[in-house]
Amino acid sequence: MTFLNKHEDIVLHFLAATIGGFAAMYGIFVRGLFAQAVSANLTEIIVHFFLPEKRSDAYLRLGAVLIFGLTLAVAHLINLSKTTHAQSIAAFAIFLLFIISALIPAGVPMFPATYPLFILTATLWGNFSGANGWNSATIFNTNNMRQIIYSFIDYVVTKDTSKKYRGLFYLGTLVSFYVSAVICLALSFRFREKTAFFGCVIPCVMVLILLRGKRIKAKRHEEATDLT
């Protein structure tokens, strides 16, 4: 059994984290906003609502947060439907949203230029949020860092190797996120808004892995049926 066959969910999770890092850097460096920072946007909504000259910005940020929440709701409903294609649908949607982001001209204001990024990151989080029984965000890293620290402390104290592997999982998530962010930054110096086109590569790889996994499972099911 190959590593991919055995750990497909972990590989997909790390790839999802690379999307999170890429989208984060693209939003910050190219579009001027960390689109997955809902807490920061909610805080700014409150502040700007009480400043008359900033009130329009508050409404635009509110629209972004509502879009984020609605996308999460849709992702959850799709997952509740028990469809086996939820992650493939999500990866294809992310592919399209990267293309849309790349096609938005430089002169478009931060809002609504970042709205596709809010949809993208909510889609990512709603469909890829952990592996191997470990819950882990793929669009920000506060809890991932906490889990790294706790897991390695637990390993040192208890010598339980499962804690070490848990720590390595969260560390891998963190590394995947920030390596991708650095790559996006390097590309953005030259390609600016068009950098989002490069983000399309990752969801395509994810779809190929998901389709491969489904073919293997279908083959195993067919072999098991033949044996009976």
Side-chain angles (χ1 to χ4, degrees):
M1 182 179 291
T2 66
F3 179 85
L4 184 56
N5 289 347
K6 189 176 180 181
H7 301 291
E8 179 184 301
D9 58 339
I10 292 178
V11 172
L12 287 169
H13 176 77
F14 287 162
L15 287 171
T18 66
I19 293 176
F22 197 96
M25 184 58 72
Y26 180 78
I28 293 168
F29 189 72
V30 178
R31 298 297 181 179
L33 182 72
F34 184 37
Q36 42 261 69
V38 172
S39 298
N41 279 289
L42 284 170
T43 304
E44 294 214 41
I45 288 169
I46 295 170
V47 173
H48 290 179
F49 184 79
F50 290 99
L51 298 173
E53 68 276 13
K54 294 281 190 177
R55 196 160 294 160
S56 60
D57 180 82
Y59 291 131
L60 290 169
R61 288 180 187 273
L62 178 60
V65 172
L66 291 175
I67 287 171
F68 189 91
L70 179 61
T71 305
L72 283 177
V74 171
H76 187 56
L77 288 170
I78 291 174
N79 282 304
L80 286 176
S81 71
K82 304 299 183 183
T83 177
T84 59
H85 303 291
Q87 289 187 326
S88 297
I89 293 169
F92 182 68
I94 289 166
F95 170 84
L96 293 178
L97 288 161
F98 269 129
I99 291 177
I100 293 169
S101 294
L103 295 176
I104 297 175
V108 175
M110 183 171 66
F111 296 107
T114 53
Y115 282 0
L117 293 177
F118 279 91
I119 301 172
L120 188 156
T121 52
T123 300
L124 184 68
W125 194 22
N127 290 277
F128 301 94
S129 58
N132 200 38
W134 296 315
N135 188 38
S136 171
T138 50
I139 63 172
F140 49 77
N141 285 296
T142 306
N143 184 59
N144 291 328
M145 181 172 288
R146 180 172 71 98
Q147 294 297 339
I148 292 168
I149 295 168
Y150 285 10
S151 296
F152 285 125
I153 289 175
D154 289 345
Y155 172 63
V156 170
V157 172
T158 67
K159 308 302 181 185
D160 183 348
T161 55
S162 68
K163 304 299 182 183
K164 178 179 70 173
Y165 291 124
R166 177 186 172 93
L168 289 172
F169 168 77
Y170 284 101
L171 179 61
T173 304
L174 198 76
V175 170
S176 299
F177 186 98
Y178 285 108
V179 167
S180 181
V182 170
I183 292 171
C184 179
L185 177 62
L187 292 169
S188 297
F189 282 113
R190 178 173 181 182
F191 297 102
R192 299 301 300 173
E193 292 74 24
K194 305 302 180 186
T195 302
F197 281 129
F198 292 94
C200 295
V201 174
I202 312 168
C204 288
V205 172
M206 295 173 76
V207 169
L208 290 175
I209 291 173
L210 287 163
L211 291 175
R212 176 183 180 275
K214 289 184 187 301
R215 284 198 300 270
I216 291 173
K217 289 175 183 176
K219 184 178 179 180
R220 287 176 182 167
H221 178 73
E222 183 180 338
E223 290 173 349
T225 303
D226 291 340
L227 290 174
T228 57

